[in-house]
Amino acid sequence: MPTLSASAYVVLGLLHESGPATPYALDRTIRQGIGHFWVFPRSQLYAEAARLVRLALVEEEQEQTGRRRRLLSLTPDGRAEFATWLASPTQDPTEIRDAGLLRLYFHTPGDGDAADVHDLAVEQATAHRRKLTEYERIAAAPFLTPDTPKAAALELGLRFERMAIAYWDEITDNGAGAVTTEWSTPGRDA
């Protein structure tokens, strides 16, 4: 069995949760759930589903008439592969793929970028406030059951957005050079 990507496990996991589904239905589920913390383009979904069909982890049935939709479902091997992956520990590091942070990184002190950095920080804080509001709306929804793995994942999203807002507000108020860093704090153990 070739090594599967995290994206493949997203497809397997969604089919495990939902049962048979069309790629369109899976895309909608992604946008309403894991898409908040795992970027998953629609084209990747279709490509990954086709690959999983070739590997016999997913089977596909196509309607013979009408819109000829494709219905995907897990095979027994797909169910076993997903269960093995879910039970396996991971040591993969967390990736922070943040366009604002990337832009901040490439600003050079002394190049007259202070206004640009300030504007970037304001925009980023605003974007994170919007995302926090969206997460708070989801947290208040009646369909979210507290004390579940999905609620725990949402909690990390809430905490991350609050931290990001505080971070960008600190840059807005004081500039990037004034951000408090733990590793440069006086009196820190060497």
Side-chain angles (χ1 to χ4, degrees):
M1 169 76 55
T3 303
L4 298 180
S5 67
S7 299
Y9 289 108
V10 169
V11 174
L12 293 174
L14 291 172
L15 290 171
H16 172 77
E17 282 191 341
S18 70
T22 64
Y24 176 80
L26 294 178
D27 181 56
R28 188 176 63 238
T29 302
I30 288 169
R31 285 185 277 121
Q32 294 171 347
I34 65 166
H36 291 287
F37 60 88
W38 190 271
V39 176
F40 203 97
R42 182 177 291 158
S43 60
Q44 188 176 8
L45 169 65
Y46 284 87
E48 208 57 73
R51 180 171 180 248
L52 292 169
V53 167
R54 286 191 305 275
L55 294 172
L57 298 174
V58 169
E59 62 185 12
E60 175 184 76
E61 291 180 41
Q62 189 165 27
E63 293 177 339
Q64 297 302 314
T65 60
R67 295 176 58 197
R68 300 183 49 83
R69 290 179 291 212
R70 298 174 9 198
L71 187 64
L72 304 171
S73 58
L74 284 179
T75 64
D77 286 346
R79 195 169 307 285
E81 178 65 28
F82 177 70
T84 299
W85 173 80
L86 197 58
S88 301
T90 182
Q91 295 188 18
D92 295 343
T94 300
E95 291 183 32
I96 301 175
R97 295 178 56 105
D98 184 298
L101 191 58
L102 188 61
R103 284 177 175 83
L104 177 64
Y105 179 86
F106 284 110
H107 277 284
T108 306
D111 281 350
D113 288 342
D116 290 342
V117 169
H118 178 271
D119 292 347
L120 172 66
V122 169
E123 290 169 1
Q124 289 299 297
T126 300
H128 284 285
R129 282 185 176 87
R130 277 194 305 271
K131 193 63 164 178
L132 178 60
T133 299
E134 185 177 355
Y135 283 162
E136 289 169 339
R137 180 186 50 75
I138 294 168
F143 62 81
L144 183 68
T145 306
D147 303 323
T148 63
K150 285 182 177 46
L154 177 60
E155 181 61 27
L156 180 60
L158 289 161
R159 291 181 188 188
F160 174 80
E161 294 307 329
R162 290 180 187 123
M163 181 276 309
I165 291 165
Y167 172 81
W168 288 109
D169 281 350
E170 186 175 349
I171 292 175
T172 298
D173 295 343
N174 305 313
V179 170
T180 304
T181 56
E182 289 186 21
W183 48 269
S184 67
T185 304
R188 185 179 133 253
D189 294 326

